């Protein structure tokens, strides 16, 4: 990684993101174990200078940069989903980001005498790693993630509480959400939302495309899967009508 020559310079968020990308490449290539990867990423998020950042990648080859992001799954058609801004702030008020939206690489949540809710349980992850920077001053920040992603937290409280219910995804390629920040006379909480799974949401995107294709072909698309639009959701034969169609968010009739 090509950092500044002066190791005492303060590190920027963009430089931290580049180091996190390099660590992700290293674990994918087998140079780091998942445990080492997690420890180094937590250290990167807490690093203050470029010299501290360099220490985490000194024994690794130079990363491929932002082009490596193409290795992550590409959503099919997300033009109708809102693109989230980076900042969510509540000052003497309340703010939330919920529902179906495209999660960026970094989300900043600021609650000052207010409350912020960041709900990623139905979000589409365009990046394998998402960092939520949460700062609460006399307020509260709540973060929810799907239960099959990895959740990590680095932060603390000053006369407040900083609580992250850390979780490990079984799939090593699952998204990773890092919650970092401080709670000053306030609270920051992050936890999985039970019943919400990234695979379910992406599967519903596939089913919507299947439905559009079948409609375009006049109902003659024999390979399309059953949409489960009826209450029983079980009158379609074949392997695609199996259990994978039944565990989606909300009721079976809810569409993406």
């Amino acid at each position: 990684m090509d950092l500044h020559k002066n190791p005492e310079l303060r590190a920027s968020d963009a430089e931290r993101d580049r180091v996190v990308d390099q660590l992700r490449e290293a674990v994918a290539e087998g140079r780091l174990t998942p445990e080492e990867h997690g420890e180094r990423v937590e250290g990167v998020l807490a690093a203050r200078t470029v010299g501290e950042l360099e220490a985490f990648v000194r024994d690794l080859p130079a990363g491929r940069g932002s082009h490596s992001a193409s290795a992550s799954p590409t959503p099919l058609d997300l033009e109708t989903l809102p693109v989230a801004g980076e900042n969510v702030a509540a000052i003497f008020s309340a703010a939330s980001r919920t529902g179906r939206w495209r999660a960026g690489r970094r989300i900043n949540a600021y609650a000052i005498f207010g409350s912020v809710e960041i709900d990623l349980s139905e979000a589409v992850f365009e990046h394998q790693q998402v960092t939520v920077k949460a700062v609460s001053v006399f307020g509260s920040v709540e973060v929810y993630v799907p239960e099959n992603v990895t959740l990590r937290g680095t932060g603390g409280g000053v006369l407040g509480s900083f609580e992250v219910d850390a979780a490990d995804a079984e799939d090593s390629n699952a998204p990773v959400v890092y919650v970092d920040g401080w709670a000053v006379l306030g609270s920051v909480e992050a936890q999985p939302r039970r019943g919400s799974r990234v695979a379910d949401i992406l599967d519903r995107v596939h089913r919507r495309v299947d439905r559009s294709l079948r409609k375009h072909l006049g109902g003659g698309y024999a390979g399309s899967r059953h949409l489960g639009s009826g209450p029983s959701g079980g009158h379609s034969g074949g392997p695609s009508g199996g259990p994978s169609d039944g565990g989606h968010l909300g009721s079976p009739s809810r569409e993406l």
Side-chain angles (χ1 to χ4, degrees):
M1 177 180 177
D2 185 17
L3 294 173
H4 298 285
K5 294 182 178 180
N6 184 357
E8 300 302 320
L9 286 178
R10 300 290 292 229
S12 68
D13 288 341
E15 288 166 335
R16 293 188 184 91
D17 288 342
R18 286 196 292 270
V19 173
V20 168
D21 284 342
Q22 189 173 347
L23 292 174
R24 176 176 58 80
E25 293 172 11
V27 73
E29 294 170 352
R31 301 180 189 274
L32 295 176
T33 66
E35 292 76 15
E36 291 172 329
H37 173 261
E39 292 173 358
R40 293 197 186 195
V41 169
E42 290 182 4
V44 167
L45 295 178
R48 295 181 179 274
T49 66
V50 294
E52 293 174 0
L53 289 179
E54 179 67 29
F56 293 104
V57 293
R58 188 172 294 136
D59 59 345
L60 299 175
R64 294 187 296 272
S66 59
H67 297 290
S68 64
S70 60
S72 59
T74 303
L76 291 176
D77 181 10
L78 303 178
E79 293 181 357
T80 59
L81 294 182
V83 180
E86 189 175 78
N87 300 318
V88 183
I91 302 176
F92 289 97
S93 61
S96 64
R97 183 165 292 164
T98 62
R100 297 188 301 275
W101 53 288
R102 292 154 62 183
R105 185 185 300 274
R106 176 175 292 273
I107 303 167
N108 299 319
Y110 304 104
I112 302 175
F113 290 94
S115 63
V116 171
E117 179 184 5
I118 304 295
D119 190 350
L120 293 160
S121 62
E122 292 190 54
V124 174
F125 289 80
E126 297 187 296
H127 305 279
Q128 202 240 357
Q129 296 173 346
V130 174
T131 300
V132 179
K133 182 72 175 182
V135 176
S136 172
V137 180
F138 287 97
S140 65
V141 176
E142 297 178 351
V143 181
Y144 299 98
V145 302
E147 66 176 356
N148 61 335
V149 307
T150 295
L151 177 61
R152 289 285 183 269
T154 56
V158 179
L159 298 179
S161 64
F162 184 95
E163 298 180 3
V164 175
D165 188 4
D168 292 306
E170 295 181 1
D171 183 0
S172 60
N173 294 320
V176 182
V177 178
Y178 296 96
V179 180
D180 174 37
W182 287 90
V184 180
L185 292 169
S187 65
V188 173
E189 298 180 359
Q191 60 185 319
R193 175 151 282 174
R194 304 304 176 189
S196 299
R197 301 178 64 83
V198 172
D200 292 339
I201 299 165
L202 296 180
D203 184 59
R204 287 160 59 191
V205 174
H206 281 275
R207 290 193 295 123
R208 185 179 68 173
V209 173
D210 286 346
R211 181 178 61 184
S212 300
L213 181 58
R214 186 172 63 174
K215 181 179 179 181
H216 177 71
L217 297 177
Y221 181 41
S224 62
R225 294 184 294 176
H226 173 57
L227 300 178
S229 58
S232 61
H235 57 272
S236 174
S240 60
S244 63
D245 289 335
H248 306 301
L249 298 176
S251 66
S253 61
R254 181 180 174 190
E255 298 180 355
L256 182 66

